[in-house]
Amino acid sequence: MKKLLVTGSSGLIGSEVCMHFAHLGWEIHGIDNNQRAVFFGPQGDTRWNQQRLASTLPKFVHHEIDIRDRDALLALVKEIQPDAIVHTAAQPSHDRAAAIPFDDFDTNAVGTLNMLEATRQYATTIPFVHMSTNKVYGDAPNTIPMKELDTRWDYADEAYINGIAENFTIDQSKHSLFGASKVAADVMVQEYGRYFGMPTCCLRGGCLTGPNHSGVELHGFLSYLVKCNLEEKQYTVFGYKGKQVRDNIHSFDVARFIEEFIKAPRFGEVYNIGGGKQNTCSILEAFAITEKFTVKKMVYTYDASNRIGDHICYYSDLTKMKQHYPNWDITKTLEDTISEIVENWKNR
């Protein structure tokens, strides 16, 4: 039986990957220490997800380890001897990073280095998938000419009709400290792939979402928005008239791409993984879709100050992903995804 090691296994993508590969017959080893509750408080707690995995997956083993603990990771990887590693653990908020710069960098950059070196010391032949972020591009996407529509911003330059591709610049832009720590991790994953010949990839996520997201104000756009709507709690829109655009990808489709990569890995690759243009929405548009499913009006206030380094419009060009892995495509629509998030919050 093949073994998969997943860091951040209680998080959105980590738990989805655990479920997906368990259903494929893999033995799953998850690393998580509920650090999200430390970063975001009780509302960020993911123990419920850890318990869900433990109760539903017979071949799931939980390991209570912080990815900053280098010695523990080195020992665990050698003990487990996994056939593939999926690294999703991170401090995920660009707002929170400014208040905890050491924790942010040690988790995102050094933690990733710890995982890469643990992998290399064990075997240079197993696939290593790293969940990166579109924040590695900083605010450079904001330099693209934009057009303002009734409910959203969009690119005015035809060169970006399909979105941002992987050759877009990451230099000379404001990233936030979170974006900078993720750049360091992203480049290191590429370097281990190219320098040591290891099968690695960075998945530069857009808005990764789904029903098992513990969304909070500082991270988890759609999940937190839906939660506010259901609880009739005031949601704050930060800048850009609420017309800022994101592409949203369901965690299931992320797990499916990871499966394709592990089956046919490449070396030092990067992919912009998001919902693509078809699954874009602005905050105002997300309000309208959510209200359709909950039959509740969104309660919100507007703060004209946009978040530092925030994108006015960002959606992923999926061309490279589909060329390299033609068996993969988006299966969950935006409305499917929001509907599932609504139902999960109701049940939770």
Side-chain angles (χ1 to χ4, degrees):
M1 180 181 291
K2 289 185 176 181
K3 299 177 184 177
L4 181 69
L5 178 60
V6 181
T7 72
S9 53
S10 300
L12 171 70
I13 301 301
S15 64
E16 190 78 58
V17 169
C18 289
M19 296 290 290
H20 186 75
F21 279 82
H23 293 153
L24 294 175
W26 290 54
E27 178 181 313
I28 310 298
H29 290 263
I31 293 176
D32 205 297
N33 67 335
N34 199 28
Q35 194 66 20
R36 191 181 175 92
V38 176
F39 293 144
F40 303 120
Q43 69 271 27
D45 193 291
T46 58
R47 290 293 184 196
W48 67 273
N49 218 0
Q50 175 190 329
Q51 293 162 6
R52 180 178 69 94
L53 296 175
S55 64
T56 58
L57 304 182
K59 296 294 183 179
F60 174 77
V61 182
H62 174 76
H63 301 274
E64 188 80 8
I65 295 175
D66 191 311
I67 61 168
R68 293 171 289 188
D69 189 339
R70 184 173 299 162
D71 291 338
L73 291 178
L74 290 168
L76 183 67
V77 172
K78 288 179 181 177
E79 175 190 342
I80 294 172
Q81 299 186 348
D83 296 283
I85 291 176
V86 179
H87 176 46
T88 76
Q91 189 296 110
S93 169
H94 64 280
D95 292 312
R96 187 79 181 106
I100 51 169
F102 292 119
D103 287 330
D104 177 79
F105 196 86
D106 286 345
T107 301
N108 292 348
V110 181
T112 300
L113 174 61
N114 291 342
M115 285 303 306
L116 284 165
E117 187 56 22
T119 305
R120 186 183 73 86
Q121 290 189 23
Y122 160 60
T124 58
T125 55
I126 67 170
F128 184 100
V129 179
H130 169 59
M131 287 308 306
S132 188
T133 172
N134 62 13
K135 294 300 186 290
V136 300
Y137 297 114
D139 62 0
N142 292 350
T143 64
I144 300 170
M146 302 279 176
K147 55 186 176 184
E148 183 178 0
L149 305 176
D150 288 343
T151 58
R152 64 162 59 194
W153 296 95
D154 205 346
Y155 302 128
D157 187 338
E158 290 296 311
Y160 298 96
I161 191 169
N162 294 318
I164 304 291
E166 290 79 2
N167 59 1
F168 196 82
T169 183
I170 66 172
D171 295 318
Q172 299 299 298
S173 60
K174 184 186 291 184
H175 292 81
S176 79
L177 296 188
F178 160 76
S181 68
K182 293 295 282 189
V183 166
D186 187 300
V187 172
M188 192 62 77
V189 172
Q190 293 182 58
E191 195 62 26
Y192 266 69
R194 297 174 186 275
Y195 192 92
F196 295 114
M198 293 170 59
T200 69
C201 79
C202 301
L203 301 184
R204 294 174 174 173
C207 272
L208 312 175
T209 191
N212 295 312
H213 208 175
S214 296
V216 295
E217 184 175 25
L218 298 183
H219 181 257
F221 158 54
L222 277 182
S223 177
Y224 179 70
L225 186 154
V226 169
K227 184 173 186 281
C228 285
N229 177 277
L230 288 170
E231 296 178 354
E232 300 179 17
K233 176 182 176 182
Q234 184 171 275
Y235 181 94
T236 302
V237 177
F238 292 99
Y240 305 134
K241 304 179 184 179
K243 296 182 179 183
Q244 53 266 61
V245 169
R246 300 291 182 270
D247 62 329
N248 303 276
I249 184 169
H250 194 293
S251 51
F252 174 71
D253 284 329
V254 177
R256 286 181 53 255
F257 183 81
I258 291 172
E259 176 194 354
E260 292 299 315
F261 180 84
I262 287 175
K263 287 194 294 188
R266 302 168 73 97
F267 299 86
E269 272 292 1
V270 296
Y271 298 102
N272 289 349
I273 187 166
K277 191 169 187 175
Q278 70 198 64
N279 275 349
T280 59
C281 68
S282 68
I283 293 178
L284 295 179
E285 291 165 351
F287 286 170
I289 298 171
T290 301
E291 288 169 354
K292 185 171 73 173
F293 289 112
T294 65
V295 199
K296 288 187 176 186
K297 292 297 292 181
M298 199 76 202
V299 180
Y300 71 95
T301 187
Y302 181 69
D303 184 335
S305 304
N306 61 276
R307 285 177 160 141
I308 297 174
D310 199 16
H311 295 146
I312 301 171
C313 178
Y314 184 96
Y315 48 90
S316 310
D317 185 339
L318 305 181
T319 302
K320 180 180 176 182
M321 295 175 65
K322 293 179 180 180
Q323 286 177 345
H324 285 188
Y325 298 96
N327 291 331
W328 180 85
D329 203 348
I330 297 291
T331 66
K332 300 273 192 177
T333 69
L334 178 61
E335 292 214 350
D336 290 339
T337 302
I338 292 178
S339 173
E340 289 185 27
I341 295 172
V342 168
E343 289 307 309
N344 188 273
W345 272 120
K346 285 180 178 178
N347 295 332
R348 207 189 303 176

